[in-house]
Amino acid sequence: MDKLLIVGAASAATAAVAVAVVPVALGAVGFTAGGILAGSKAAAMMSAAAVANGGGVASGSLVAVLQSTAAAGMSGPVTAAVAGVGSALGSATSWLLTRKK
């Protein structure tokens, strides 16, 4: 029972952390509310996407989705997906760390 509580707590905690960290991480690589920051990793991604796409960034591409998320915030489905991935990572990690050898 203790292991179940540990795994559950880790799952919930990592879900919350993931949702909080994603907007910060987007800003750190150059995806901002005002657009892509010149000279950033996001700018390099946008340049590569534009070159690969004949000069423009395709709607729905990774760069477009990340910039949209940075500008407008995470939508409900995106928040749920990020929380789900964080939860799964937390569960798996805590299960591995608490298993009996």
Side-chain angles (χ1 to χ4, degrees):
M1 184 65 151
D2 288 341
K3 182 177 180 176
L4 183 60
L5 291 174
I6 291 169
V7 171
S11 175
T14 53
V17 168
V19 169
V21 166
V22 165
V24 174
L26 287 174
V29 297
F31 293 103
T32 70
I36 292 179
L37 191 62
S40 66
K41 298 232 184 259
M45 287 176 66
M46 186 175 91
S47 176
V51 168
N53 212 20
V57 176
S59 176
S61 68
L62 178 62
V63 172
V65 169
L66 293 175
Q67 180 52 43
S68 176
T69 300
M74 292 193 294
S75 67
V78 171
T79 300
V82 168
V85 169
S87 177
L89 289 173
S91 295
T93 302
S94 64
W95 180 82
L96 288 171
L97 293 174
T98 60
R99 69 186 172 141
K100 293 185 175 149
K101 298 177 182 181

